[in-house]
Amino acid sequence: MRKLFLLTCFVSSCLVSALAVAQSSTPGSNGSIDISVQREPGSEGEFYAVQASMIVEATPQRSWQVMTDYDHLATFVPGFTSSHMVTRIGNDGVLAQEGFVRFLFIKQSINLLLDVHEEPYSKVDLNLLQGNMRHYEAHWQLIPVDTLHTRILYNARLAPTFFVPPIIGVTMMKGDLHKMLDAVSLKIEQGSELPGPLSGPVQLPQAVAHP
């Protein structure tokens, strides 16, 4: 009974901590990142519908430069272990990403091969080609707010092949997504140039891998 009580307290503590991360403010220019994660039934199993929004103090061009620098994402995005473009033709390509998510004592690796379609400085669409997700589609959109700010929108529909704890899955997924967007926001607002050329029309947000 005592062990069960301690485990219950530990899980409750993790829930509170993850919820605090998911709802906390970021250092970004608008002071917050708005995130929604919903579990949805599907004919082939459960899906997670994800929506997120943040405003960064940077132009769409600068934001695009960071978000589409696929080969360097693993250097500043938590949970990414590798990311690189496999092939590219114009604004279309194939992206390979590896990462991980944590659920309490469990560390789950994620491996994705994604089809990428870009509309430079405006939108990136990502769709699963293969990997350990049953379904993965994600869409990034960059919208100018004024001459100094850009709104970044992220929408995704995810279905992992691995087990996600039903009680804490949504909350911990929010926490991981919050960390990812926070890292991207900070990198964008640093203002330093990234190595290598832009990969737009003669050009490359990435995926979650981890969600």
Side-chain angles (χ1 to χ4, degrees):
M1 180 65 70
R2 184 172 181 272
K3 289 183 178 179
L4 178 61
F5 173 75
L6 291 174
L7 179 59
T8 302
C9 290
F10 176 75
V11 171
S12 298
S13 175
C14 288
L15 279 169
V16 172
S17 299
L19 186 59
V21 169
Q23 294 180 340
S24 63
S25 297
T26 72
S29 58
N30 71 337
S32 67
I33 294 174
D34 296 322
I35 298 173
S36 170
V37 178
Q38 301 289 332
R39 293 168 62 192
E40 296 182 351
S43 59
E44 298 181 359
E46 193 172 67
F47 285 80
Y48 288 86
V50 180
Q51 293 183 321
S53 173
M54 66 179 180
I55 295 177
V56 295
E57 189 173 355
T59 63
Q61 289 79 7
R62 168 60 189 172
S63 303
W64 178 271
Q65 182 185 23
V66 171
M67 295 169 60
T68 61
D69 184 33
Y70 302 120
D71 290 347
H72 295 92
L73 290 178
T75 65
F76 65 91
V77 177
F80 274 49
T81 55
S82 71
S83 175
H84 68 278
M85 288 296 287
V86 178
T87 62
R88 166 178 283 284
I89 301 177
N91 294 327
D92 298 294
V94 174
L95 172 65
Q97 292 187 327
E98 296 182 3
F100 63 89
V101 292
R102 291 185 184 275
F103 297 105
L104 297 181
F105 306 108
I106 304 170
K107 180 178 178 180
Q108 174 64 52
S109 297
I110 297 178
N111 304 283
L112 302 174
L113 193 65
L114 303 169
D115 176 75
V116 181
H117 173 70
E118 302 169 348
E119 296 181 16
Y121 313 125
S122 174
K123 186 171 69 171
V124 177
D125 296 324
L126 301 147
N127 288 280
L128 181 68
L129 293 174
Q130 66 183 55
N132 61 342
M133 298 282 281
R134 181 164 48 84
H135 183 88
Y136 181 96
E137 59 177 303
H139 311 279
W140 294 85
Q141 188 173 4
L142 282 67
I143 303 172
V145 176
D146 52 39
T147 57
L148 297 177
H149 298 85
T150 300
R151 181 181 297 278
I152 299 175
L153 304 178
Y154 174 77
N155 293 277
R157 199 160 185 257
L158 318 171
T161 57
F162 49 85
F163 174 72
V164 176
I167 297 178
I168 62 174
V170 168
T171 301
M172 299 195 77
M173 191 176 293
K174 281 184 179 181
D176 282 349
L177 182 57
H178 191 284
K179 292 175 184 177
M180 180 189 75
L181 293 176
D182 194 21
V184 171
S185 174
L186 288 172
K187 187 68 174 181
I188 289 172
E189 294 186 350
Q190 282 179 0
S192 59
E193 292 299 316
L194 294 170
L198 289 176
S199 53
V202 94
Q203 260 190 18
L204 292 119
Q206 69 70 23
V208 184
H210 11 212

